[in-house]
Structures are given as structure tokens and as C-alpha cells.
Amino acid sequence: MSLQQLRDQLRLPVISAPMFIVSQPALVIAQCTSGIVGSFPALNARPAEQLDQWLSDIQAALADYQQRHPDQQVAPFAVNLIVHPSNQRLEADLATLVRHRVRLVITSLHAPDKVVEAVHSYGGSVLHDVTTVRHAQRAIKAGVDGLILVSAGAGGHGGRLSPFALVNEVRTFYSGPLALAGAISHGGDIVAAQAMGADFAYMGTRFLAANEAHTDERYRRMLIEAQAADIVYTPLFTGVPGNYLAASIRDSGLDPDALPDQAPESLSLGDSGVKVWKDVLGAGQGVGSIQQCQPLGEIVSALEVEFEEAAARLTQRRVDE
């Protein structure tokens, strides 16, 4: 799928980030039928055999919706694969994605060479998320179709670099599709991401409190109450630096202002001890944009209004000058 083909299918240039536990078929379907790319981590389908059913259900629901609403934009969906060696399901999950010919695959946490080869075999596209320039260069060498630049402030496994620095440096050697992540939570942020040189905004936190999200009441309450200052960046829980809600860390019996320096020796997906994304909850620095729980469609509509208003302000400023 080319960049232009993807843009033409979207109401807004937005790709939803795949959120562990939270992103399940109901949210993905709502995102796609609202005109943005919906996504989910393959690991959310548990047991592993459930992945096949989820894909069938999502594909059938989107096809039915498009048939009933031929004039509306229905976006494609993406599935996230963790390609780190610790993911024992990778080979089986990839085979399931190939069987369903999933058009967009998002890869994370390791070089995606084998995934690229498999997905390209049926004409699919691979977007790889990176937090550094070195990782971007390695992903390009693997033949990915686009990069997701995960900059400072992004929820979950976020990076350290300013989005300005990361986009600018990557654009010195890469002209392909870029999605930008990092506290993007407002329609104006989407305009800003494009102005910086990105093609798409990569958003997760704004959707955490959507009615369709698989988010429990404790999580929703913390999201509504939190501001950017309530986000803690630490590698403690998985071995990879990430952003988490301070209130959830406190509820787990730890002091978010005095966390141990010792991180796990190897990547952990939260299968022992404190469970990440169940006990310790992820969110990005854009969490202050969440004021209430509401349907996903209303969130996208608000983003669209914010996007258009921001674009109009820029246009008017140029006219005034």
C-alpha cells in the first residue's frame, strides 16, 4: 500500500497506536469506521488461537460496514508484532497474519527482516517503530515501508528524543512515510506533526478512555484525573524505558518519586511480579487531553474540528503577513 493510497482512505492522517490489553476488536473497528487506522498488538489475543478469530471478526465487520455505508471512509487496520526474541508467539502469529493477508503490520523492539519478507510476499506493508536514529537506519536496511518515530512523551515504550530532533535527523536520509508519536493528543498536534515533516500522527493516549477501549474503571478514573506531571518515565518494569501513570505505580506499593534504579536484565512483558498494563498502567504526556469517557467516534470528530481550526489559523496567519 502506497503512502498516497493510505492517505486517501483516511478522514484524518492518524494511525492509532496498538495498546497492550486496551486495543481489542471493538476499539479497532470503531477506529477504522471513524476514518483512522485502528490497530492492536497480536499479543492481546489470548490464547494465541484467538488471533485468527479476531482477524476474521474485524475483516468481516469492516467489509459489512463499508457495504452499508459506501460513501464513508473506512480505514485499514494494522496488527503489531513484537519481534524481540522473547516473544515466543512471533512465528505463529506472523503465519496467521500472512494467512489473513493483513495489509498493515507494525513491528517493534527488534530488527524486522523476517516479518518484512513475509508481509511483502502478499503485498502488505510494514511500519516499524523506532526511538533512535540508529534504529531507524537499521529498519530501513530491513526494507520497511515506513517508520514510526516514537519520541519523548509517548505512552508505553516511549523514546527520549525531542520530536523535532528525531524527525529532522531522520529526514536527512529518509524520504519515505513517517508517523510521529509523542504526546500527540490534539488536532493541532496532528497539523504540527505534518509541518515538522511527518506524514501521519501516531496516537494512543487520547483513545484510552474511549467507550470501546478495553479499559477498566480504575484506569479510566486515573486517566481523567492525570496531567503530564503525573507521568513517570522508567525502564524498571519491562527493561525498556516507558511512560506510566504515577497513581498506578503508587497503588502497586511503590513510590513513583523514588523508584529503584535496577531494571530487569532482559525484556519482560509483565508475566511476573507487578503486571505492566494491568497493575502499572501506561499513558503518554498528552494524558491531560482526556476530560471524560466518550465514544471513539466523538473523539475523532473532535480531533477533526481541532485539526481544521489549527490549519485555518496557520493559513490566516500567512494571509495576515
Side-chain angles (χ1 to χ4, degrees):
M1 179 188 303
S2 71
L3 172 62
Q4 189 59 52
Q5 287 173 326
L6 179 56
R7 280 178 172 167
D8 290 345
Q9 294 183 63
L10 302 181
R11 177 179 174 186
L12 286 170
V14 170
I15 299 172
S16 174
M19 296 175 285
F20 195 60
I21 299 178
V22 172
S23 300
Q24 297 197 14
L27 181 62
V28 174
I29 292 166
Q31 290 168 333
C32 294
T33 55
S34 295
I36 65 172
V37 175
S39 72
F40 70 95
L43 290 173
N44 277 6
R46 300 189 180 201
E49 293 74 22
Q50 191 176 47
L51 179 60
D52 182 78
Q53 187 62 54
W54 278 19
L55 292 172
S56 295
D57 290 347
I58 292 169
Q59 289 171 327
L62 296 182
D64 176 68
Y65 186 90
Q66 185 70 87
Q67 185 175 17
R68 290 185 291 107
H69 303 86
D71 297 329
Q72 292 191 24
Q73 292 170 299
V74 177
F77 69 94
V79 180
N80 172 229
L81 289 177
I82 301 296
V83 292
H84 191 273
S86 64
N87 180 11
Q88 298 180 357
R89 286 179 44 174
L90 176 59
E91 185 174 338
D93 286 349
L94 177 57
T96 302
L97 267 57
V98 171
R99 186 164 63 253
H100 282 266
R101 302 175 70 87
V102 174
R103 294 168 63 190
L104 285 174
V105 176
I106 297 170
T107 50
S108 308
L109 296 178
H110 204 265
D113 302 67
K114 292 183 179 180
V115 176
V116 169
E117 181 180 359
V119 174
H120 283 180
S121 71
Y122 60 84
S125 300
V126 176
L127 305 177
H128 188 68
D129 65 10
V130 301
T131 58
T132 69
V133 170
R134 179 174 64 85
H135 290 150
Q137 292 169 330
R138 179 64 183 86
I140 294 167
K141 185 178 179 180
V144 299
D145 302 283
L147 296 173
I148 299 166
L149 305 185
V150 186
S151 62
H157 291 138
R160 298 176 184 272
L161 292 178
S162 158
F164 294 99
L166 192 53
V167 172
N168 286 339
E169 290 194 24
V170 170
R171 276 301 187 211
T172 64
F173 59 83
Y174 182 68
S175 60
L178 287 184
L180 178 63
I184 297 178
S185 57
H186 187 279
D189 303 339
I190 304 171
V191 175
Q194 291 188 312
M196 290 166 59
D199 301 290
F200 304 96
Y202 194 66
M203 300 178 60
T205 298
R206 182 78 185 262
F207 305 130
L208 282 171
N211 291 353
E212 297 87 349
H214 191 72
T215 312
D216 64 27
E217 289 307 312
R218 167 178 169 261
Y219 201 172
R220 292 175 188 273
R221 173 178 52 79
M222 288 183 181
L223 291 164
I224 292 171
E225 294 174 354
Q227 300 292 319
D230 301 308
I231 300 301
V232 177
Y233 186 71
T234 176
L236 178 66
F237 302 109
T238 67
V240 178
N243 282 308
Y244 306 95
L245 289 165
S248 69
I249 297 174
R250 195 173 295 110
D251 281 359
S252 298
L254 297 170
D255 182 352
D257 296 319
L259 291 176
D261 294 329
Q262 185 65 39
E265 294 182 359
S266 60
L267 176 69
S268 167
L269 296 178
D271 293 328
S272 62
V274 174
K275 293 187 178 295
V276 185
W277 297 293
K278 281 191 175 181
D279 299 326
V280 176
L281 304 170
Q285 291 178 3
V287 69
S289 65
I290 300 175
Q291 303 297 319
Q292 62 182 328
C293 298
Q294 59 189 134
L296 189 284
E298 291 184 7
I299 298 174
V300 174
S301 293
L303 287 170
E304 185 176 39
V305 170
E306 295 162 1
F307 177 86
E308 292 175 350
E309 289 177 347
R313 285 196 299 273
L314 289 181
T315 300
Q316 185 60 47
R317 286 173 182 170
R318 294 187 65 183
V319 171
D320 292 342
E321 291 174 356

